[in-house]
Amino acid sequence: MSADHAATSGTPEGAFGALRGQLQRAATEFAGGPDALEDILLGMVDDVDRAVREPLEIFPVCHHSPASALAMARRLREKQPKVVYLELCEDMAPLLTELRNCRLPVAVQAFAGKVDGFPAEWAPLSVVAPITEASAEYQAIAYALDTPGVELVLVDRSADHVYQWDTSRARQEPDTDEEAPEEAQLHGEAVGVEIGDLRPRFAELEEHLLRHGRVRHWSEWWHQYVEVPLAGSDHDTYRQAMFLIGSLFRRLAPGDEGRVRVDEDRERYMWTRMREHLAESGAEPADCLYVCGAFHAASRVAEFGVEGTDTFTISPRTATAWQYGLIPSSHAAIEAQFGLAAGSVSIAATEWTKGLKRSRTRPYRLAGQKGAAKKAASTKAVASSPGAAPDRLTGFLQQAPALDTLDEAELLGWSVDIVRAARRNGYLASTADAIAVFETSILLAGMRDRAKPTPYDFQDAAVTCIEKDAVPGRRDVRRLVEIMMGGDRIGQVGYDALPPLARDVHDRLAPLGLRLQQRGVQRALLDIVSRPELAACSDVLWMLRRLLPHGAARPIMGERKLGERSLQESWDLAIGTHQRALIELGYEGVSLEQVLEQRLRREAYAPQATAATVLAAVEDATLHLGGKRLADELGTHALKVLATERTVDGAPEVLRRVRRLLAYYRTHEPVLPQWIESFAKTGYAHYCTLLPTAFVDEDATVGQVAAMLGFLFGMESLALSLGCDRTQLELAVAQSHPEDPAKTALLWAARVQLGTLSRAELRARCVELLDNPLVVPAYPRYLSGFVHALEPVPGLADVVVEAVSNAFGRLPDTVLLPWLPLLITTLRSQAGDLAPLLIREAARIFPARLAALDAWTPPWLAEAQPAVRRPEPRARRGVALLPAHPATCDALAELLGCTDGWAAPESPVVEGVALLTAHPATCDAVAGLLGCDDGWSEPVGTAPPAPPASALAERHPATAAAWESLLART
């Protein structure tokens, strides 16, 4: 034996001298001489000896182990310690009293939404410590809180130190390849803190144990080779065996310096806190009990024990503000977070119940907790000295494994229950399947050297005999076995243990008359007309829909938009299922309105926030919070964000939201807010500046450029009224020279809107594209640009319909058929929102009946043919005006030298040719002035020949002189 082992034990032999000798001989025989194997084996005995001789009794446990819980319950009733030191975050102590208001399993949570002293990308920080009834820590907590004169002291590092000592870890994204069940997501992305993380860190060792133990998972190995043997053992045997296992895993741990350092710092931290408490309280170590994981119980740090050194300095906490609360947990969530086999925690709960009945142990439960029994009479404490414990480990290791006799009644019950559950879930199971499951379970247990089938053997047998190759229902047989063995119990935090915000939500939704803490989906019907008090419930539900995960509050009927309120609503509520999310809202504020305002500010002022993001926050603030203060503040910030953007990625979203907000303010406010006027003015100038670059930028899509043009044309009237210059837009369009076909078509549409390109020229260009065989393959992209142009220029719908129709009418089948799929995919992927406008325009142009299509002529072809116009009868206009304004007529007659005067009103009106014959002098004078010397044409019949022009001039010299004078003046 080496000198260091002898020094550790205190004597050459010590209490475990016989065991040391046996292990030393075994190491020499297997390894051929002293080597590392001997050091490991003897070091394990030294660790056990050191832990056993510690004056402050150490109670090693494993996380959610029924054997540990049974041993803890028995030891607490025997010893009745006055101080219980528990390996749990010391800052979580005030929450433990609230466990009596909950239904286990639940998790104690420390949450920090904002970080100060940690990297910003780590936020939010969350640490959880799940607690089940079949766990040793719950037994210690229940005993300490319900026993007068007992003090419970949490000694592990704080939640702040959990992240301080783990600054090198990488924030990994959750695995999205396979979505975890809803029950397994109750802890979210929190860091789990457990008591007794007993699992080999040496991969080869775990693989060796699983292979030789003929099991599939570590949880199954632990159940078979640790839980079952230790379930009925005495206290000393249990402690020494757990010390040995912890020492084995510790000495065979891989050389991860960071993880080893954290483990040792935790042990130094806990022993430092315990010595400080002993010095302050004056408690005797013999009256105390230290509950920790077996891995930490076999510690070799210098600070170990009440006589250890005080060289460890605890670093101060950061300035991060932590908040604490209880959140619901579940067996599946615990298994998913700590890497346990599916169903292992449920099986542990079943084993805990069976162990209580078999050993007749009375467990501890918090008074007032649901399902808690009456307080049992306290038993007399049994004095015991941890250092005087004899060597029970040697006998435990040498004894043959006790063969647990087959419990046929239990196995028959399992077989019948699983067949019954399989039938309810669609399996064609029968009595023969129950017999097959029974026999196969025994067969599998025999193949794995087990006298009694374990729940894992039964699960494998049920899958083999019932499931076969198909799963008809929602659950497979493996999941049915887990439910039958105890199910995935899901905890619940009681009303009194909820944070103020969660209680306020329950109070405000009380008029609905629903059991909101119940899990599952409940239907809420709100008739606001007959019950106006439900309008407040509607406001709460819409805010919960904005704040909680999808499915917590889902509207079935009714909607809430700017300026619109539904009179009747229907909701599917699952607030009890999403209780964790509701509780975490309570960490952010005391009311929903406060939390919503904080989140909107956080989203708007985030470094990566865009103008579209800020406008969305403005819309939500107006929709849910009302008032103008927050909306005006965020709107002003949106103006600043827009001015700093150098890309057009958010232009479509900006356009949609600005249109909605502008329509709301125009209909509900007497005047537009100052911020939206400034936004329209700044946005007009901003997008005019970016427009030429966006047309040639390959990263800018045609939809984004169309949204820019939609903003410019849609806000043009408002922007011009505020002082903007339309010349800026005209120059921006003139400077744009795109090469992409879609953007080229979009530019043509913009020029049509500005008036620099006529619709006829646009139609001609479309015809030229179809006539050019080199451009025909790219014609769908031109059409995509035309369809997107309907956003800024909706009046071009008829031109777009014409362009598509011409393509179908003119292209040959050899070109049209290969191109048709590309056209459809282009329209669907790039113009899905604008397709309805195009369809409505086509429905207006094309005939409604198929029979009328053959004789139908498209409007654009009908306009190309010259139309024959028939002369319409014209009403006599001059005759009515002359008597109404005689002064004008008299002046003209005097100028022309006409002295005949006015005709009588009752005389017939003479017009046309009759006027010429009635007043030949005027006509002759005009003809002479114009040089017409043909004279009057002889009418058919009796009309004399007309005199020549010169004769007319000579005959009427006054009229000719008047016309000459009039023409000279003009």
Side-chain angles (χ1 to χ4, degrees):
M1 184 182 301
S2 60
D4 56 343
H5 295 303
T8 302
S9 61
T11 61
E13 296 296 333
F16 299 92
L19 181 60
R20 284 193 178 91
Q22 295 178 13
L23 294 179
Q24 189 175 18
R25 290 191 297 272
T28 303
E29 180 178 354
F30 284 104
D35 62 351
L37 178 60
E38 181 180 353
D39 293 338
I40 293 175
L41 295 179
L42 297 182
M44 290 165 52
V45 180
D46 293 340
D47 293 340
V48 175
D49 190 18
R50 183 185 187 188
V52 168
R53 290 186 296 105
E54 172 61 34
L56 175 59
E57 181 177 349
I58 304 173
F59 195 95
V61 299
C62 177
H63 196 50
H64 304 300
S65 167
S68 297
L70 288 171
M72 173 63 71
R74 290 194 296 263
R75 184 56 180 168
L76 290 174
R77 294 198 180 277
E78 292 174 358
K79 183 174 182 176
Q80 295 286 310
K82 297 180 181 179
V83 179
V84 177
Y85 297 112
L86 184 61
E87 178 193 343
L88 194 61
C89 295
E90 59 183 2
D91 50 342
M92 294 181 176
L95 289 174
L96 299 182
T97 56
E98 297 293 339
L99 289 175
R100 65 180 75 253
N101 297 320
C102 304
R103 184 176 64 204
L104 300 181
V106 296
V108 185
Q109 183 184 37
F111 183 87
K114 299 180 180 179
V115 296
D116 188 355
F118 299 107
E121 61 270 15
W122 287 15
L125 307 181
S126 180
V127 178
V128 297
I131 298 176
T132 64
E133 189 173 354
S135 59
E137 58 264 36
Y138 175 73
Q139 294 299 309
I141 293 172
Y143 163 79
L145 295 182
D146 283 352
T147 304
V150 177
E151 185 178 4
L152 177 65
V153 182
L154 306 186
V155 295
D156 198 3
R157 55 182 176 167
S158 66
D160 195 89
H161 287 91
V162 170
Y163 285 90
Q164 280 190 38
W165 295 355
D166 206 9
T167 54
S168 61
R169 69 185 182 90
R171 299 284 286 184
Q172 300 179 353
E173 295 294 331
D175 187 10
T176 57
D177 294 339
E178 181 179 356
E179 185 178 357
E182 180 181 340
E183 293 79 5
Q185 302 175 3
L186 291 180
H187 296 172
E189 298 180 6
V191 175
V193 177
E194 56 181 346
I195 298 180
D197 180 13
L198 273 185
R199 185 166 183 170
R201 299 183 183 178
F202 193 39
E204 287 77 3
L205 173 62
E206 182 173 349
E207 181 182 358
H208 175 82
L209 295 176
L210 297 182
R211 183 175 65 253
H212 288 273
R214 300 178 182 180
V215 294
R216 296 163 301 156
H217 196 274
W218 171 251
S219 301
E220 187 176 356
W221 185 94
W222 180 266
H223 170 82
Q224 178 66 21
Y225 294 98
V226 179
E227 287 291 328
V228 175
L230 290 180
S233 61
D234 60 273
H235 173 62
D236 293 332
T237 303
Y238 167 83
R239 289 184 66 215
Q240 295 173 18
M242 292 294 286
F243 287 146
L244 183 68
I245 295 173
S247 177
L248 172 65
F249 293 165
R250 189 184 189 96
R251 290 182 177 273
L252 294 182
D256 186 353
E257 296 181 359
R259 190 170 183 180
V260 172
R261 177 184 56 81
V262 172
D263 290 333
E264 292 180 350
D265 285 348
R266 289 183 64 186
E267 294 156 7
R268 295 186 179 99
Y269 192 106
M270 290 187 286
W271 280 109
T272 301
R273 289 301 192 199
M274 284 187 285
R275 283 195 297 270
E276 291 176 355
H277 181 268
L278 289 173
E280 295 175 359
S281 63
E284 293 294 333
D287 297 331
C288 302
L289 186 67
Y290 173 34
V291 182
C292 68
F295 189 89
H296 298 295
S299 175
R300 300 188 302 274
V301 297
E303 291 80 4
F304 179 87
V306 294
E307 302 298 334
T309 60
D310 291 327
T311 59
F312 183 69
T313 302
I314 299 176
S315 60
R317 303 181 186 179
T318 65
T320 300
W322 289 89
Q323 296 177 308
Y324 304 91
L326 297 172
I327 62 173
S329 182
S330 67
H331 292 170
I334 298 172
E335 294 160 359
Q337 187 167 43
F338 299 111
L340 304 177
S344 58
V345 179
S346 297
I347 294 175
T350 303
E351 294 295 322
W352 158 256
T353 304
K354 291 169 55 178
L356 291 177
K357 294 180 180 179
R358 182 174 57 250
S359 63
R360 297 183 179 180
T361 302
R362 289 178 298 173
Y364 287 94
R365 291 188 178 94
L366 288 171
Q369 194 167 23
K370 186 176 181 180
K374 294 182 179 180
K375 184 176 179 63
S378 61
T379 57
K380 185 178 180 180
V382 179
S384 61
S385 175
D391 178 14
R392 300 294 181 85
L393 187 58
T394 302
F396 177 77
L397 295 177
Q398 290 179 346
Q399 69 181 4
L403 297 178
D404 197 354
T405 58
L406 175 63
D407 189 347
E408 292 189 1
E410 180 186 55
L411 186 58
L412 282 174
W414 287 356
S415 302
V416 173
D417 291 342
I418 189 59
V419 169
R420 183 184 298 112
R423 287 175 179 173
R424 289 197 300 264
N425 286 269
Y427 290 90
L428 299 178
S430 62
T431 305
D433 293 313
I435 299 174
V437 171
F438 179 86
E439 297 294 341
T440 306
S441 300
I442 299 175
L443 177 62
L444 288 177
M447 294 172 62
R448 297 168 178 173
D449 295 334
R450 303 169 186 169
K452 177 183 179 180
T454 65
Y456 298 95
D457 298 328
F458 173 77
Q459 190 178 52
D460 293 341
V463 172
T464 303
C465 299
I466 298 177
E467 188 168 293
K468 299 177 177 67
D469 60 347
V471 180
R474 186 168 59 93
R475 297 187 177 97
D476 56 10
V477 174
R478 189 173 302 278
R479 177 62 181 150
L480 294 178
V481 174
E482 295 173 9
I483 296 175
M484 189 192 70
M485 289 292 177
D488 184 18
R489 298 179 185 175
I490 301 175
Q492 185 184 77
V493 180
Y495 176 85
D496 295 331
L498 292 174
L501 181 143
R503 293 199 298 268
D504 180 63
V505 169
H506 284 275
D507 295 340
R508 295 169 69 176
L509 294 180
L512 297 178
L514 301 177
R515 300 176 59 185
L516 298 178
Q517 287 191 325
Q518 180 179 344
R519 292 184 59 84
V521 180
Q522 303 179 71
R523 179 63 58 88
L525 302 176
L526 284 73
D527 187 359
I528 303 177
V529 176
S530 60
R531 297 183 60 187
E533 68 274 10
L534 295 181
C537 297
S538 175
D539 296 337
V540 174
L541 292 177
W542 285 109
M543 284 189 286
L544 290 178
R545 180 177 180 266
R546 175 65 171 76
L547 296 172
L548 292 182
H550 176 73
R554 184 168 61 93
I556 303 300
M557 182 184 68
E559 60 181 357
R560 175 162 294 192
K561 297 180 180 179
L562 289 175
E564 298 182 9
R565 294 293 186 272
S566 300
L567 300 179
Q568 290 183 336
E569 296 177 356
S570 176
W571 291 79
D572 276 352
L573 303 180
I575 297 178
T577 304
H578 296 82
Q579 192 180 49
R580 177 185 68 86
L582 181 61
I583 292 174
E584 290 183 350
L585 284 182
Y587 300 154
E588 302 182 40
V590 296
S591 66
L592 287 177
E593 290 78 5
Q594 180 186 4
V595 174
L596 181 56
E597 181 175 347
Q598 291 176 357
R599 288 197 179 183
L600 292 177
R601 290 180 185 275
R602 192 182 308 124
E603 295 172 2
Y605 289 93
Q608 67 276 11
T610 62
T613 305
V614 183
L615 288 177
V618 174
E619 186 174 346
D620 288 340
T622 306
L623 193 62
H624 299 296
L625 299 179
K628 300 180 181 180
R629 175 187 56 83
L630 182 60
D632 291 346
E633 176 188 345
L634 298 181
T636 305
H637 181 64
L639 179 65
K640 300 177 182 178
V641 175
L642 178 66
T644 60
E645 290 184 351
R646 294 297 176 263
T647 62
V648 296
D649 297 341
E653 188 68 18
V654 169
L655 176 62
R656 285 192 293 268
R657 295 194 179 276
V658 165
R659 281 178 175 174
R660 285 201 295 264
L661 289 169
L662 192 60
Y664 170 76
Y665 288 131
R666 281 175 171 170
T667 56
H668 291 79
E669 300 291 340
V671 294
L672 291 178
Q674 180 65 33
W675 75 265
I676 201 167
E677 293 183 351
S678 302
F679 191 90
K681 183 178 179 180
T682 303
Y684 188 86
H686 178 72
Y687 283 137
C688 283
T689 304
L690 296 180
L691 189 61
T693 305
F695 265 113
V696 297
D697 188 4
E698 295 181 356
D699 296 332
T701 64
V702 62
Q704 294 170 353
V705 180
M708 292 177 60
L709 292 173
F711 185 93
L712 293 173
F713 292 144
M715 298 290 173
E716 186 176 17
S717 59
L718 178 60
L720 295 181
S721 66
L722 296 174
C724 293
D725 190 359
R726 195 170 194 262
T727 307
Q728 187 177 7
L729 176 59
E730 295 175 350
L731 292 175
V733 173
Q735 294 173 358
S736 302
H737 305 286
E739 298 180 358
D740 182 69
K743 294 182 181 179
T744 301
L746 190 60
L747 178 63
W748 293 347
R751 294 182 58 187
V752 171
Q753 180 70 11
L754 291 176
T756 59
L757 183 68
S758 65
R759 298 169 71 93
E761 293 175 342
L762 180 62
R763 287 189 170 94
R765 293 188 180 186
C766 294
V767 173
E768 292 176 1
L769 293 177
L770 286 174
D771 292 339
N772 191 346
L774 298 179
V775 183
V776 167
Y779 195 72
R781 301 179 62 184
Y782 283 96
L783 289 182
S784 175
F786 283 129
V787 174
H788 279 95
L790 298 178
E791 178 77 49
V793 192
L796 285 180
D798 57 338
V799 178
V800 179
V801 173
E802 176 183 344
V804 177
S805 301
N806 287 336
F808 280 94
R810 295 185 54 183
L811 291 179
D813 291 344
T814 56
V815 178
L816 180 62
L817 294 180
W819 166 64
L820 189 58
L822 178 61
L823 172 65
I824 296 175
T825 55
T826 302
L827 294 177
R828 175 178 295 180
S829 61
Q830 301 183 11
D833 297 337
L834 302 173
L837 177 61
L838 192 63
I839 294 173
R840 286 195 299 268
E841 183 64 23
R844 186 186 65 83
I845 295 177
F846 286 88
R849 300 291 181 181
L850 184 61
L853 188 61
D854 295 335
W856 175 73
T857 301
W860 51 89
L861 296 180
E863 293 176 1
Q865 300 176 359
V868 179
R869 295 186 178 181
R870 296 180 178 179
E872 298 179 359
R874 298 170 58 187
R876 295 175 298 177
R877 295 177 293 178
V879 178
L881 291 173
L882 291 178
H885 305 281
T888 303
C889 185
D890 294 341
L892 182 59
E894 182 181 357
L895 181 63
L896 297 176
C898 299
T899 59
D900 298 339
W902 287 85
E906 60 274 4
S907 62
V909 178
V910 184
E911 53 184 8
V913 180
L915 287 175
L916 298 179
T917 57
H919 305 281
T922 304
C923 185
D924 293 340
V926 174
L929 184 63
L930 298 177
C932 300
D933 55 357
D934 297 335
W936 288 81
S937 60
E938 184 176 356
V940 179
T942 59
S950 57
L952 290 174
E954 294 176 358
R955 188 181 303 173
H956 305 283
T959 304
W963 275 103
E964 290 178 357
S965 176
L966 180 62
L967 292 175
R969 293 179 183 178
T970 59

